[in-house]
Amino acid sequence: MTDSPTRILLADDHALVRRGVRLILDAEPDLTVVAEADDGAEAVARAREHRPDLAVLDIAMPRLTGLQAARELSRCCPETRILILTMYDNEQYFFEALGAGASGYVLKSVADRDLVEACRATMRGEPFLYPGAVDALIRDHLDRGREGGTGSSRTLTDREEEILKLVAEGHTSQQIADLLVISPKTVERHRANVLQKLGLKDRLELTRYAIRVGLIEP
């Protein structure tokens, strides 16, 4: 254990959750919360500002999800390790989290038991997985072996995922174009690609998919 405590960024859009998690972490002499954020975009900004050792991110947050923020942090702050703290006991989120650069995945329902050890394991360079996630990894490995190693857990590009989230939130193509500073035609092209890749027909199906994979909250 190092002499100085691990500096942590905590991101969750519920203030009560942040307060509870902060109490758990700050009670430990080797852990200290140095910054908080209530959405994914703010988490990235706070990380750039404070350069924490560890970012603890919720999945379902406004503006950027925890998974999108994790990918951005992996690019802009590679020295910051990432831990996902979520209510979702869901294999797809778990694999997405690993793909986004997270070192661990902790369920909020057992945060009081697992979170401190997960932070310490992550800082030691060890993955932290809840029991169901270990089973999922084994199943996935066996499935890939049967399929000859083909298949990817992510089919959408970051930009396509960004547009999927905004479409599912109800924004028009023009609004999305204004937000992302691209043309409406480019938005429509990305949207068509998303529909084709996911095998979906319309905005309703896109929205259901976005809820299912944690891009937006139901």
Side-chain angles (χ1 to χ4, degrees):
M1 202 72 69
T2 58
D3 292 332
S4 57
T6 297
R7 301 168 66 256
I8 299 172
L9 162 69
L10 177 58
D12 193 296
D13 58 330
H14 296 99
L16 278 174
V17 173
R18 287 202 311 276
R19 190 176 308 157
V21 172
R22 184 168 194 148
L23 283 171
I24 292 170
L25 297 175
D26 281 345
E28 302 299 321
D30 57 321
L31 305 173
T32 182
V33 176
V34 296
E36 294 185 25
D38 61 11
D39 64 55
E42 188 184 1
V44 174
R46 291 279 179 273
R48 288 177 185 273
E49 179 186 352
H50 293 276
R51 297 288 167 175
D53 304 308
L54 176 65
V56 178
L57 308 174
D58 184 24
I59 286 184
M61 293 189 289
R63 292 167 74 198
L64 289 181
T65 68
L67 298 175
Q68 289 173 313
R71 280 195 288 277
E72 184 59 33
L73 287 178
S74 295
R75 283 193 289 264
C76 75
C77 306
E79 72 284 359
T80 297
R81 300 191 181 188
I82 299 165
L83 193 59
I84 297 295
L85 176 64
T86 179
M87 62 183 282
Y88 297 113
D89 182 356
N90 179 297
E91 287 182 24
Q92 182 159 2
Y93 299 154
F94 165 63
F95 285 117
E96 289 263 347
L98 294 186
S103 300
Y105 192 97
V106 181
L107 298 179
K108 287 181 179 177
S109 57
V110 290
D112 56 335
R113 188 188 74 206
D114 287 353
L115 182 57
V116 168
E117 179 49 38
C119 290
R120 289 172 179 156
T122 299
M123 293 313 298
R124 289 194 302 265
E126 301 168 7
F128 184 92
L129 311 175
Y130 68 101
V134 177
D135 295 342
L137 267 179
I138 293 168
R139 269 199 309 279
D140 182 67
H141 176 74
L142 294 174
D143 289 345
R144 283 173 189 272
R146 281 194 291 270
E147 293 166 7
T150 59
S152 165
S153 62
R154 266 192 88 231
T155 56
L156 302 183
T157 66
D158 288 353
R159 179 45 65 96
E160 286 168 350
E161 189 176 279
E162 200 171 14
I163 286 172
L164 164 60
K165 177 175 166 63
L166 291 168
V167 168
E169 286 174 344
H171 296 282
T172 66
S173 292
Q174 184 62 59
Q175 288 170 331
I176 295 171
D178 293 341
L179 280 167
L180 302 181
V181 199
I182 56 179
S183 73
K185 193 171 288 186
T186 302
V187 173
E188 290 296 339
R189 190 173 72 248
H190 282 306
R191 182 171 162 169
N193 287 343
V194 170
L195 287 168
Q196 183 194 4
K197 282 184 176 183
L198 299 177
L200 305 176
K201 296 195 297 288
D202 53 27
R203 170 175 284 188
L204 178 61
E205 291 191 352
L206 272 182
T207 304
R208 285 179 182 146
Y209 174 84
I211 290 170
R212 198 167 70 245
V213 300
L215 278 171
I216 62 172
E217 292 194 62

